[in-house]
Structures are given as structure tokens and as C-alpha cells.
Amino acid sequence: MFIATDNQFTARGRLVDSPQINISEKTGNAIVSITLAQEHPFKKNEAGERESVFIKYTAIDTKNNPIASRIAEYVTKGSLVSLIGYHDSYFKENSEGKKEYFEVKRISTFRNEESKEKTLERRTKA
């Protein structure tokens, strides 16, 4: 039996790009995919510094939770965010009629650790 808390994740990092809203043709819901740059917890490069990993996460607006729209509105490239979500999966049939399985890291909630304005200000000073 699937229980969302069994597959839960927490993540913290900076957005690699500004989020872009897409509209699902099937449901009409807003969908946002974001990529976070996160420090790898174990691997270090030759200089002894931690390397970054880039992980993709997805948010989908629902009737009770317009999370994708909120993410697009309140964060931008370089924003520091914390995410809570769960690992989800789905399948599609390919042209040969075989099932292809996909895994998605679905965002349930997010917290903006740095305002959009603060991020833009920091980026212009750099």
C-alpha cells in the first residue's frame, strides 16, 4: 500500500533557473519543474570542497493547493528554498505498447528562505 510519508523527502538548495509555468493539456493544472543546486553530502573534489548536484523537482497545482503558481510567483533563479515532498511514479505506454515507468519528486510544500527581491538584489551586486 502506498503512503506518501513512506516516500517523503526534504531538500534545500538554490534554484538553477527561474521557474516556468506549463499548463497540463490533460487536466488544465499549472505545473512547475525546478532544478535545485545542492551540495553533495559526501563527495569532495580535489581541493577538498563539496561538489554540487542538480536535482529536478515538480510541483502541480491542485484545487486545494496552488503550489506551482506560488513557486513561480515567489522565487527566481538563485533563490534559496526548502522543499518537502514525496517520490511519485507513473507509467506511459510507448509506441510498442510496453509500459515505461517514470519517477517524479513531487513538491508538497516549500519555504522561501530568501525573498525574490533579496535574491535579485544579491545577484545584481555580484
Side-chain angles (χ1 to χ4, degrees):
M1 174 165 64
F2 174 77
I3 300 174
T5 55
D6 289 344
N7 299 308
Q8 194 169 28
F9 69 80
T10 57
R12 187 169 193 247
R14 292 198 180 273
L15 267 70
V16 173
D17 290 310
S18 293
Q20 300 295 318
I21 289 185
N22 296 303
I23 305 299
S24 168
E25 293 176 12
K26 188 175 183 180
T27 64
N29 291 344
I31 300 171
V32 168
S33 291
I34 59 173
T35 302
L36 290 188
Q38 299 170 263
E39 279 190 357
H40 195 286
F42 306 111
K43 290 187 179 179
K44 293 187 178 183
N45 61 19
E46 294 171 6
E49 301 165 333
R50 287 192 175 155
E51 295 182 358
S52 292
V53 294
F54 302 93
I55 302 174
K56 188 174 182 177
Y57 300 91
T58 302
I60 300 174
D61 278 357
T62 63
K63 185 172 124 179
N64 298 322
N65 187 4
I67 190 159
S69 300
R70 289 195 340 249
I71 288 173
E73 182 178 351
Y74 292 110
V75 300
T76 189
K77 178 180 179 177
S79 292
L80 180 63
V81 297
S82 294
L83 309 174
I84 296 175
Y86 59 95
H87 298 277
D88 197 4
S89 62
Y90 63 95
F91 70 88
K92 291 182 180 180
E93 285 191 19
N94 63 18
S95 58
E96 299 168 356
K98 294 184 179 178
K99 291 181 181 178
E100 290 186 39
Y101 292 88
F102 300 91
E103 188 236 330
V104 179
K105 293 168 186 66
R106 181 113 5 128
I107 302 167
S108 301
T109 62
F110 82 101
R111 184 167 124 182
N112 195 0
E113 304 287 347
E114 177 181 74
S115 72
K116 192 174 190 176
E117 294 77 22
K118 181 94 172 166
T119 301
L120 293 170
E121 180 183 321
R122 181 179 46 77
R123 284 177 36 203
T124 56
K125 288 182 180 179

